[in-house]
Amino acid sequence: DIDIVREIVQDVNGSVLVSATVGEGHKTVEALIRDVVLYASLGVDIVKIAASELFQQADFFSETKKQLTTCNIKVVVVFFADNPLDLNLIAQLKRNGFYGAMLDTQLKKISLLELQMIETLREFIVVCKQHKLISGLAGSVNKSHINRLLMLNPSFIGMRGGVCNERNRTLTLAGDEVAKVKSMLLNYNNVLEPLEI
């Protein structure tokens, strides 16, 4: 919801990066671009879009490059682990000014680690790094998955249900779970060199 995004950006007030997704189901490249520009205008640092059939249109990359990436809007493309993964698209993302790529689950019934082998996740992260894109992993992830995902060294790990009450993504955030995950990530980050993109 646009009003909630605006409120979150104001409350955070630049203290941390804020990302938001524009959702799925855009019928045209123009409609997708319009939503990305809208969210970026609210002060969102990174806008996430889903890899979709629109990527196959002849003008997709030329239009997004002209209207988004040359305007310094940081766009991360979300690939769904439920579908076949085309790593060749990652090189196209870099050539056309995208900021990063993320692997997530679409249906949220099982976790990313149940849908994809760890070797596939590692390859995804490696290809992103080769093309100097940030990389993210998400999809019904909780703190029990963190150590395995951290071994792959993604730029970020996304959680929603994993830090909600009863691990239910439709319920409210559980502050103690957020604190535990934050502590685990801080401990890991403190032994790493800063990630260079």
Side-chain angles (χ1 to χ4, degrees):
D1 181 280
I2 292 297
D3 290 334
I4 292 175
V5 172
R6 185 182 288 113
E7 184 180 349
I8 289 170
V9 169
Q10 289 172 352
D11 286 351
V12 168
N13 195 26
S15 61
V16 294
L17 292 178
V18 175
S19 71
T21 178
V22 296
E24 304 169 55
H26 294 87
K27 301 297 184 190
T28 65
V29 178
E30 292 75 21
L32 174 63
I33 289 172
R34 193 165 47 247
D35 274 358
V36 172
V37 171
L38 172 60
Y39 275 71
S41 73
L42 300 175
V44 170
D45 301 290
I46 298 169
V47 182
K48 295 176 288 188
I49 66 172
S52 69
E53 296 79 16
L54 293 178
F55 282 55
Q56 309 306 320
Q57 294 188 13
D59 64 344
F60 177 81
F61 284 108
S62 61
E63 286 301 306
T64 53
K65 186 172 185 177
K66 179 173 66 177
Q67 299 190 53
L68 298 179
T69 58
T70 56
C71 300
N72 293 320
I73 297 176
K74 293 177 178 174
V75 180
V76 169
V77 174
V78 180
F79 293 87
F80 291 119
D82 319 58
N83 303 323
L85 184 58
D86 182 6
L87 293 176
N88 293 322
L89 265 177
I90 292 176
Q92 282 185 274
L93 299 183
K94 179 59 180 177
R95 284 196 300 272
N96 289 283
F98 284 81
Y99 187 61
M102 178 178 175
L103 195 53
D104 197 354
T105 57
Q106 190 168 30
L107 300 179
K108 313 301 180 192
K109 293 184 178 179
I110 59 175
S111 77
L112 178 68
L113 287 163
E114 294 173 280
L115 274 174
Q116 293 288 346
M117 294 186 301
I118 203 81
E119 292 80 9
T120 304
L121 302 181
R122 181 178 288 109
E123 184 180 8
F124 176 80
I125 300 299
V126 167
V127 172
C128 286
K129 287 182 180 177
Q130 287 172 343
H131 292 92
K132 299 192 183 304
L133 295 169
I134 69 162
S135 59
L137 298 174
S140 297
V141 170
N142 59 60
K143 67 176 183 288
S144 72
H145 302 124
I146 288 181
N147 287 333
R148 280 179 288 167
L149 295 179
L150 287 175
M151 288 170 51
L152 305 175
N153 198 23
S155 307
F156 64 92
I157 296 172
M159 286 191 195
R160 182 171 168 176
V163 288
C164 286
N165 287 310
E166 300 176 27
R167 290 190 179 169
N168 183 335
R169 64 196 307 268
T170 65
L171 298 180
T172 57
L173 286 170
D176 58 335
E177 288 300 306
V178 173
K180 288 174 188 174
V181 168
K182 179 182 177 182
S183 177
M184 292 175 75
L185 294 175
L186 283 174
N187 288 339
Y188 179 78
N189 289 337
N190 285 338
V191 299
L192 285 182
E193 292 295 321
L195 179 66
E196 293 184 6
I197 296 294

